[in-house]
Amino acid sequence: MRNDSDIAVISTAYLPSVRRNELTETEMLITVVDEALDKVGLKRSDIGFSCQGSCDYISGGTFSFVPNLDAMGAWPPIHESHVEMDGAWALYEAWVRMRHGDVEIAVAMGSGKSSTGDPAEIHPLELDPYYLAPLGVDPVSLAALQARQLIDTGKSSERELAEIAARSRRAAADNPRQQVRSAESDVDKLLAEPYVRSPLRRSDLPPISDGASCVVMATARRARDLVERPAWIAGLDHRSEVHNPALRDLTDSPSTRLAAEKAGGVAGVEVAELMAPFTAQEVVLRQALGLGDDVLVNPSGGALTGNPLMSTGLVRIAEAAEQIIAGGRNRTLGHATSGPLLQQNLVCVLEGDI
Amino acid sequence: MAHEPVAVVGIGQTKHKKRRDDLSIAGLVREAAQRALDDARLTWTDIDAVVIGKAPDIFEGVMKPELYLADALGGAGKPVFRVHTAGSVGGSTAIVASHLVSSRVHTRVLAVAWEKQSEGNAQFGLGGGKSGSIGAGGAFAPWIRAYIRKSGAPEHIGWQIAVKDRQNALRNPYAHLHLKDISVEKVRESPMMWDPLHFLESCPSSDGAGAIVLTDKAGGLAAAADGRPPAWVLGTSMRSEPSSFNGRDPIRPQAGVDCAWDVYRQAGITDPRREIDVAELYVPFSWYEPMWLEGHDLAPVGEGWKMVDRGETAFDGSFPVNPSGGVLSSNPIGASGMLRFLEAALQVRGAAGEHQVDGARVALAQAYGAAAQYFAMWAVGSEPPSG
């Protein structure tokens, strides 16, 4: 039985992840909001609260979220908010807001266009501005340090990383919204490829992507009327760790483990959509969560085959929710991460009506 | 489901200055947060979650600085959340933090908002990182001229507010500007920046941070029993509208009207001018005081400047506005909204020291952002909300 105040994901939409989308960020968001609302027969005027997640540095301006107000249509004035975080955290703010009971339908959005800049130049700026940012360490180099530590401690191997890449690419081949769909997926051939940053090869890295996503939520009072099989949010939590990667055990993710615990645990989870833009991070997350071999990981193809920053995490939740809404599963997990080498992690556990 | 009542039990801020080059960004936020914790008689481990707000990252050149600030704010093992809603962000940071408590997700939440303007170039940032920025004053001046033309307000109103807020700031040790010899003549004779705004009618560029600790009802009652009365949150609201469209009223934006009445309704206020004792309004340029008095129905349309002219918004007036000295005296941009929100809380706690308004029991705080299109407001009171 559900209480009236229980909250469910009832509809999702996201654009195909592509190297370059000609639409502006606002136009991308309009497209996904239209699609997500149409699927459940809602209008923008039905929405009680909306929250966007985006990042000025990725958009290349200040206040870059302001024009995105047009995605929801802000006249008459609307009740909304914005986080400088992945859309998964926008969903978190909307979920908190809905728990007050006076908002029955809310929308979370995530959007990012990495195509217009050079991620290797931009992303070092999210590091400690005095001690780390001046080093100019790009995300791929950082990820290589993590993978190296994982391999050196015997927790993974280059072959296992290649197997993750191969599996993700095969999954993406069936998902028209993923960007890396026809790439090589033979493990031995991947292992024969050169390093980009040892021990990482091209197949261990995500593509550079543009994209946007939208998730619609409703309280139990409305959810069942709008969709046959709502994806109930059984638990939602996020946790941070200290910032400096040198002060962390890069082979573990205690913040993911804690967030999952607070979100109700992974027992019974059938499908996990993990935001692991680098192969080694999937290993870290699986081990931290204690996911068994029976859990299907990233059937969408995952962040490794489509990585529209600021939207990637919300897409994981959307995919986990669709596994219930359309896929008939009973318990799934969506995960999002932010910051260098899995510094912050969010876990959303979803359930269907049995 | 009834909301959990929310109490502000700890308040802290930095000394705001043009340059806090004695501190890193982490040191700045830590100074405000530690003071808020000390005020709440709590320690870092007592805090369940941290909410961080600031204006655009490009102001200091640090992308997603909440990542690096997690360490300084005791964020390891906790949820660390980052809000950004343009200039209203300091207010929405407080509101999002209060919602974590009122929704019963957490019990004790720390909210911190900051800006360290000396480590970057906000004027450049305001222009979207392009050259030739007209700055905030250049953007708002045409609307201020429209307000003056529409209301028939005399030009000395702006000078009078500039003096009033700077005199209030002399009572506030944390304020950036302490202009002891400020006068209407000095404001009038100061260089014209964006007609009709003179240099002394404009906010400064500041380094600074503000922090609050929020708890549930039990935490608020415990603080009160310990002789440290909290400020109780009576209502919160956020509203947004587009930057421009034909038919928009940028002088009295509808989002501001709606936001105010949403708060009044929650707080059970039907006559805001009478039932609110003191207001902290976001006034970065002098003329925004009468504009927001009218924009939030604290004065009838066209009458806001008359309230100012009659001295009603002065420190000893019948409706004091910005006893802290306001944004005109301290402007760490991302924190400026938080400073309004925490000053309102200080007032109803009776803890505002020399800038305490006598008998303040209900206080309103407001922040706005971008093209006067993002609003965040709360009302706080000395008594827990009824019901």
Side-chain angles (χ1 to χ4, degrees):
Chain A
M1 272 306 284
R2 299 287 163 189
N3 296 319
D4 278 357
S5 57
D6 283 353
I7 297 162
V9 172
I10 59 166
S11 183
T12 74
Y14 68 92
L15 286 178
S17 172
V18 292
R19 180 62 181 85
R20 184 183 192 96
N21 191 318
E22 298 298 331
L23 299 178
T24 66
E25 212 168 309
T26 307
E27 291 168 326
M28 292 198 302
L29 283 167
I30 290 172
T31 309
V32 290
V33 171
D34 278 346
E35 186 187 333
L37 293 181
D38 283 350
K39 278 162 80 171
V40 283
L42 290 171
K43 304 184 297 295
R44 283 174 169 76
S45 55
D46 295 319
I47 308 308
F49 179 73
S50 59
C51 193
Q52 290 178 41
S54 69
C55 175
D56 270 350
Y57 261 97
I58 292 173
S59 305
T62 36
F63 306 105
S64 56
F65 58 92
V66 174
N68 294 345
L69 278 174
D70 287 343
M72 278 308 298
W75 187 256
I78 59 170
H79 182 193
E80 65 94 44
S81 187
H82 172 263
V83 297
E84 196 84 357
M85 305 182 88
D86 185 285
W89 277 266
L91 179 133
Y92 182 85
E93 184 177 336
W95 173 77
V96 169
R97 185 63 192 79
M98 291 181 82
R99 285 171 58 96
H100 294 81
D102 57 337
V103 170
E104 297 202 323
I105 298 171
V107 161
M109 293 164 272
S111 59
K113 285 186 68 128
S114 291
S115 61
T116 51
D118 178 357
E121 279 187 9
I122 293 167
H123 285 272
L125 297 174
E126 75 174 18
L127 300 172
D128 176 324
Y130 307 105
Y131 295 106
L132 293 177
L135 302 176
V137 189
D138 67 292
V140 178
S141 301
L142 276 178
L145 293 172
Q146 185 172 35
R148 174 61 64 202
Q149 211 172 1
L150 207 62
I151 291 168
D152 286 355
T153 54
K155 290 183 175 177
S156 191
S157 62
E158 291 187 39
R159 175 161 289 275
E160 188 188 18
L161 301 188
E163 284 166 357
I164 288 168
R167 193 206 71 231
S168 301
R169 289 174 168 195
R170 284 194 299 271
D174 296 329
N175 182 353
R177 290 184 288 187
Q178 291 303 90
Q179 190 172 340
V180 181
R181 297 185 57 219
S182 52
E184 180 58 55
S185 62
D186 179 86
V187 172
D188 288 316
K189 285 183 180 159
L190 291 181
L191 284 170
E193 288 181 4
Y195 293 125
V196 176
R197 301 278 196 290
S198 172
L200 300 179
R201 301 176 168 83
R202 181 70 198 82
S203 56
D204 295 304
L205 319 178
I208 295 169
S209 314
D210 288 356
S213 52
C214 174
V215 168
V216 185
M217 290 180 284
T219 59
R221 278 183 290 275
R222 299 293 308 278
R224 279 181 224 284
D225 298 336
L226 294 166
V227 68
E228 194 179 323
R229 205 174 147 71
W232 301 102
I233 297 177
L236 181 55
D237 194 88
H238 67 99
R239 299 282 151 171
S240 181
E241 295 177 33
V242 296
H243 174 68
N244 190 329
L247 301 177
R248 290 188 252 144
D249 174 0
L250 299 178
T251 68
D252 192 11
S253 180
S255 57
T256 302
R257 189 160 48 240
L258 182 58
E261 245 172 66
K262 298 281 182 186
V266 300
V269 165
E270 299 152 88
V271 178
E273 280 284 339
L274 307 177
M275 182 175 162
F278 299 93
T279 48
Q281 294 182 345
E282 183 183 305
V283 178
V284 173
L285 292 167
R286 285 179 82 126
Q287 292 181 1
L289 287 166
L291 295 180
D293 290 339
D294 55 334
V295 178
L296 184 59
V297 173
N298 292 340
S300 68
L304 207 50
T305 58
N307 190 32
L309 293 169
M310 314 317 285
S311 176
T312 311
L314 187 59
V315 169
R316 303 283 73 72
I317 295 174
E319 283 285 350
E322 289 297 343
Q323 288 286 341
I324 289 168
I325 296 170
R329 308 257 184 194
N330 291 321
R331 194 169 163 89
T332 64
L333 181 152
H335 160 269
T337 193
S338 174
L341 302 182
L342 306 174
Q343 186 192 338
Q344 279 189 304
N345 293 282
L346 177 147
V347 172
C348 181
V349 177
L350 297 142
E351 284 178 353
D353 286 315
I354 299 168
Chain B
M1 184 176 68
H3 312 171
E4 177 68 26
V6 180
V8 181
V9 297
I11 296 172
Q13 60 185 304
T14 57
K15 166 63 188 169
H16 312 298
K17 278 180 70 175
K18 185 168 185 61
R19 299 184 71 86
R20 284 297 304 266
D21 45 16
D22 56 324
L23 293 172
S24 64
I25 293 170
L28 189 77
V29 298
R30 179 91 177 179
E31 183 173 290
Q34 184 66 59
R35 285 174 179 167
L37 282 176
D38 290 348
D39 186 36
R41 311 269 168 92
L42 294 172
T43 64
W44 291 98
T45 52
D46 294 320
I47 297 298
D48 300 327
V50 182
V51 182
I52 302 176
K54 74 173 302 295
D57 293 356
I58 289 167
F59 284 4
E60 290 83 7
V62 188
M63 176 180 172
K64 298 192 262 181
E66 68 279 2
L67 295 167
Y68 136 75
L69 292 174
D71 301 21
L73 294 173
K78 296 175 190 172
V80 176
F81 199 82
R82 162 75 191 284
V83 182
H84 181 199
T85 60
S88 70
V89 65
S92 40
T93 302
I95 290 174
V96 168
S98 79
H99 287 174
L100 287 172
V101 177
S102 53
S103 66
R104 298 192 174 86
V105 172
H106 295 298
T107 305
R108 286 178 297 271
V109 177
L110 171 69
V112 186
W114 61 278
E115 204 73 61
K116 205 158 189 293
Q117 287 210 55
S118 71
E119 294 201 21
N121 185 335
Q123 190 81 348
F124 176 81
L126 283 167
K130 303 173 192 70
S131 60
S133 166
I134 55 171
F140 293 131
W143 296 337
I144 290 170
R145 289 199 296 274
Y147 170 76
I148 292 171
R149 193 172 305 118
K150 214 169 157 181
S151 67
E155 58 183 351
H156 71 264
I157 296 297
W159 310 336
Q160 194 177 320
I161 292 160
V163 172
K164 185 256 301 177
D165 280 4
R166 271 53 175 271
Q167 284 176 338
N168 288 352
L170 294 172
R171 299 169 178 271
N172 180 358
Y174 297 108
H176 172 176
L177 296 183
H178 282 150
L179 306 175
K180 292 192 174 59
D181 53 354
I182 188 82
S183 66
V184 164
E185 293 68 36
K186 285 210 155 133
V187 175
R188 190 181 61 210
E189 299 308 322
S190 66
M192 181 65 82
M193 299 290 285
W194 306 275
D195 193 4
L197 296 169
H198 292 80
F199 176 73
L200 284 173
E201 288 176 90
S202 308
C203 55
S205 292
S206 314
D207 288 357
I212 54 174
V213 176
L214 304 120
T215 69
D216 61 356
K217 186 173 187 180
L221 293 176
D226 193 36
R228 295 175 289 114
W232 295 94
V233 177
L234 304 179
T236 66
S237 187
M238 291 157 70
R239 285 292 182 280
S240 313
E241 69 181 45
S243 311
S244 65
F245 56 90
N246 195 1
R248 177 173 191 239
D249 184 354
I251 300 172
R252 187 172 179 274
Q254 189 62 38
V257 178
D258 293 357
C259 188
W261 280 103
D262 190 23
V263 169
Y264 301 156
R265 181 186 52 74
Q266 291 169 48
I269 292 169
T270 53
D271 183 348
R273 167 70 179 80
R274 283 177 189 282
E275 294 170 64
I276 293 167
D277 301 311
V278 54
E280 279 281 329
L281 306 178
Y282 202 101
V283 179
F285 302 99
S286 57
W287 283 93
Y288 265 100
E289 181 173 303
M291 288 166 75
W292 293 139
L293 289 172
E294 296 175 29
H296 303 319
D297 287 337
L298 298 162
V301 171
E303 303 283 319
W305 67 267
K306 294 178 189 167
M307 265 179 81
V308 176
D309 207 23
R310 290 192 295 263
E312 291 172 31
T313 62
F315 186 75
D316 56 359
S318 58
F319 191 87
V321 174
N322 295 333
S324 68
V327 183
L328 279 171
S329 304
S330 311
N331 186 36
I333 301 175
S336 290
M338 176 67 82
L339 298 180
R340 311 282 71 69
F341 277 53
L342 69 78
E343 174 72 17
L346 276 177
Q347 289 288 340
V348 298
R349 288 173 82 194
E354 281 189 49
H355 47 111
Q356 178 67 48
V357 171
D358 277 347
R361 305 185 69 76
V362 176
L364 179 71
Q366 174 257 28
Y368 81 96
Q373 65 188 120
Y374 286 86
F375 292 85
M377 299 176 75
W378 80 6
V380 287
S382 53
E383 299 296 326
S386 52

